[in-house]
């Protein structure tokens, strides 16, 4: 089943009293819309990401996402939310389901996206919602209480909301023919008589509507500021007829490491440690060895790309420590050059880079000189 994300960023900011559209305001160094879209770019179920925006803001939004590897479709929205979502769906690659999300909900997690997608596969229509904490009152136009609904039965609906494509488009058609315009996609689908199922949302998944919300969001973003540790390990086989490259340094030896890329085992272990610390998977998933683009690839260049990805997640590298395990050759004469190379690729000072080499006393595959192994540990800080 294919799921396409539609991020609705076409609303106006009348409640914000700000020159900049609310989706372009920054929370802890990253715009609201970037935070709202980011989780969809890494969610495993999502096969395409479409941002629906105003024509006048499209160039600004494209600039926000210019450094992202994954393609994002930008579609001009309509006068109403309903029309915007419809345009998004009709101008996206075909998907069985569409995952609609507010561009002003910057704290969406990939776990919640997955949960709503799985639920929609069963019920056709699903949305994230949280139990309400306050008591709610239904009032008349003079503010007199008409009714006190039972709190246990009340939910505050969030996004993502996920709908089977044809179901959603039928609901839009029916709304259009009855001249209704819904601001809540669930309500539009309900109006057609289809039951919408709710899954437990996230209280952090707030919607930015007023200036106060920006302050709350900045607090929430700071809350997650933390140190993150990552470890990486890699092994490559030693063979005759290949160059030996470690941390980008060519090493004089009668054998070299075998691999799809240049087989720089130390750069690979470090890349994995960085991706691990940032929760971004591993190098195999980003640069698969089945992809001919990475044949003979310069692993230091891939390391640079990994560092950019980690930086985009808002992390700063504090220090790194690599251990290379090789019986031969002696690596001591090369360590200084290796540290320089790694420091340049990672954009840090040489003092933040430690590289050590050890043998395993003739034991195991490294001892028999069948291969070289490398381990790396990194520490990242959220900035
Ligand atoms: Mg490797």
């Amino acid at each position: 089943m294919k799921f396409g994300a539609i991020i609705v960023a076409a609303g106006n900011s009348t409640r914000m009293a700000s020159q900049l559209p609310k989706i372009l305001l920054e929370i802890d160094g990253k715009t609201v819309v970037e935070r709202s879209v980011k989780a969809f770019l890494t969610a495993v179920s999502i096969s395409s990401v479409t941002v629906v925006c105003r024509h006048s803001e499209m160039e600004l939004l494209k600039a926000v996402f210019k450094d992202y590897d994954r393609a994002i479709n930008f579609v001009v929205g309509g006068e109403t939310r309903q029309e915007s979502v419809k345009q998004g769906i009709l101008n996206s690659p075909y998907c069985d389901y569409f995952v609609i999300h507010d561009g002003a909900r910057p704290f969406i997690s990939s776990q919640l996206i997955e949960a709503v997608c799985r639920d929609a596969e069963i019920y056709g229509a699903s949305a994230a919602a949280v139990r309400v904490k306050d008591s709610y009152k239904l009032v008349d136009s003079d503010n007199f209480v008409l009714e006190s609904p039972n709190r246990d039965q009340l939910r505050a609906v969030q996004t993502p909301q996920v709908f089977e494509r044809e179901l959603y488009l039928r609901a839009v058609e029916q709304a259009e023919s009855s001249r209704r315009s819904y601001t809540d996609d669930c309500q539009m689908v309900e109006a057609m008589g289809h039951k919408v199922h709710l899954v437990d949302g996230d209280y952090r998944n707030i919607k930015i509507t007023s200036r106060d919300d920006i302050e709350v969001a900045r607090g929430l973003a700071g809350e997650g500021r933390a140190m993150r540790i990552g470890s990486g390990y890699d092994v490559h086989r030693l063979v005759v007829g290949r160059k030996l490259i470690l941390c980008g340094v060519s090493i004089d030896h009668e054998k070299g490491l075998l691999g799809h890329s240049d087989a720089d085992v130390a750069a690979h272990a470090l890349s994995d440690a960085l991706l691990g610390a940032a929760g971004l998977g591993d190098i195999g998933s980003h640069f698969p060895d089945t992809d001919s683009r990475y044949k003979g690839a310069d692993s230091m260049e891939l390391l640079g790309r990994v560092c950019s990805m980690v930086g985009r997640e808002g992390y700063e590298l504090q220090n790194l420590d690599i251990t290379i395990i090789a019986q031969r050759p002696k690596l001591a004469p090369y360590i200084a050059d290796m540290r320089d190379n790694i420091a340049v690729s990672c954009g840090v000072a040489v003092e933040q880079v430690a590289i050590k080499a050890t043998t395993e006393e003739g034991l195991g595959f490294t001892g028999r000189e069948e291969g070289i192994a490398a381990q790396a540990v990194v520490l990242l800080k959220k900035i």
Side-chain angles (χ1 to χ4, degrees):
M1 287 295 166
K2 275 193 159 182
F3 291 83
I6 304 288
I7 316 296
V8 189
N12 58 34
S13 304
T14 45
R15 278 177 283 182
M16 282 308 291
S18 160
Q19 294 295 92
L20 262 185
K22 65 182 176 185
I23 51 164
L24 290 171
L25 291 175
E26 281 196 2
I27 299 171
D28 210 14
K30 205 172 259 185
T31 60
V32 170
V33 69
E34 193 177 356
R35 288 174 176 271
S36 303
V37 169
K38 212 178 52 156
F40 290 89
L41 296 172
T42 51
V44 287
S45 291
I46 302 297
S47 60
S48 73
V49 176
T50 297
V51 174
V52 187
C53 58
R54 295 167 155 243
H55 185 264
S56 58
E57 287 162 11
M58 188 180 277
E59 292 311 311
L60 280 171
L61 282 167
K62 282 185 177 171
V64 167
F65 293 100
K66 68 179 190 320
D67 292 333
Y68 282 73
D69 292 335
R70 191 159 165 197
I72 299 173
N73 314 308
F74 291 89
V75 171
V76 174
E79 280 303 304
T80 61
R81 180 190 172 90
Q82 186 177 303
E83 182 61 24
S84 291
V85 175
K86 179 183 157 188
Q87 289 307 321
I89 292 177
L90 294 178
N91 292 289
S92 290
Y94 183 90
C95 286
D96 308 285
Y97 292 84
F98 279 94
V99 185
I100 302 162
H101 184 63
D102 296 324
R105 286 191 193 268
F107 296 108
I108 178 64
S109 66
S110 48
Q111 290 91 325
L112 184 54
I113 296 169
E114 295 300 329
V116 189
C117 288
R118 295 293 78 77
D119 202 59
E121 282 184 311
I122 303 168
Y123 300 104
S126 178
V130 287
R131 290 171 182 275
V132 299
K133 293 176 179 175
D134 297 318
S135 293
Y136 281 69
K137 303 291 178 192
L138 191 68
V139 296
D140 65 15
S141 54
D142 295 320
N143 241 12
F144 285 107
V145 175
L146 291 174
E147 213 180 305
S148 297
N150 178 1
R151 191 165 61 183
D152 292 342
Q153 281 188 286
L154 286 176
R155 300 289 181 275
V157 179
Q158 306 180 327
T159 64
Q161 303 188 354
V162 184
F163 304 96
E164 194 260 315
R165 183 183 191 272
E166 305 313 321
L167 169 71
Y168 189 87
L169 291 177
R170 274 205 316 279
V172 175
E173 208 173 290
Q174 182 170 314
E176 284 171 352
S177 65
S178 58
R179 298 188 184 284
R180 292 285 309 266
S181 178
Y182 294 94
T183 50
D184 173 35
D185 302 293
C186 284
Q187 202 186 351
M188 186 181 74
V189 171
E190 291 157 37
M192 208 178 53
H194 188 97
K195 279 195 167 184
V196 176
H197 193 250
L198 301 179
V199 298
D200 283 339
D202 180 352
Y203 288 107
R204 287 172 52 95
N205 183 23
I206 60 166
K207 187 174 184 182
I208 310 287
T209 47
S210 66
R211 173 60 63 180
D212 290 347
D213 297 328
I214 283 284
E215 295 310 318
V216 173
R218 286 179 178 151
L220 281 171
E223 213 177 68
R225 197 171 304 191
M227 306 295 271
R228 308 259 305 199
I229 193 165
S231 80
Y233 176 72
D234 197 24
V235 172
H236 280 264
R237 187 183 290 277
L238 273 169
V239 293
V240 176
R242 290 266 302 183
K243 277 189 180 169
L244 177 58
I245 295 169
L246 294 170
C247 298
V249 178
S250 251
I251 294 180
D252 197 18
H253 194 48
E254 71 269 17
K255 287 180 181 177
L257 293 173
L258 182 64
H260 184 71
S261 64
D262 61 8
D264 187 334
V265 69
H268 293 180
L270 177 58
S271 298
D272 262 349
L274 286 160
L275 291 169
L280 289 173
D282 59 25
I283 46 171
S285 61
H286 293 284
F287 314 112
D289 61 11
T290 48
D291 189 328
S292 59
R293 278 180 299 168
Y294 305 120
K295 186 161 169 50
D298 177 350
S299 299
M300 294 300 282
E301 196 204 308
L302 300 185
L303 172 64
R305 285 165 65 177
V306 165
C307 287
S308 307
M309 284 183 226
V310 168
R312 278 201 301 267
E313 291 297 305
Y315 292 109
E316 185 183 79
L317 180 55
Q318 300 300 294
N319 73 304
L320 66 93
D321 187 6
I322 300 172
T323 302
I324 301 169
I325 305 155
Q327 190 64 36
R328 272 192 335 120
K330 275 249 162 296
L331 297 176
Y334 301 99
I335 297 282
D337 284 348
M338 289 185 194
R339 287 179 73 201
D340 285 345
N341 275 356
I342 294 285
V344 168
S345 274
C346 295
V348 295
V350 177
E351 293 70 39
Q352 291 166 280
V353 177
I355 299 175
K356 314 182 301 295
T358 184
T359 72
E360 286 186 306
E361 303 276 342
L363 297 168
F365 68 85
T366 65
R368 292 190 297 271
E369 297 182 39
E370 291 166 8
I372 292 180
Q375 293 177 346
V377 176
V378 302
L379 189 67
L380 303 181
K381 185 177 167 193
K382 190 89 179 176
I383 49 168

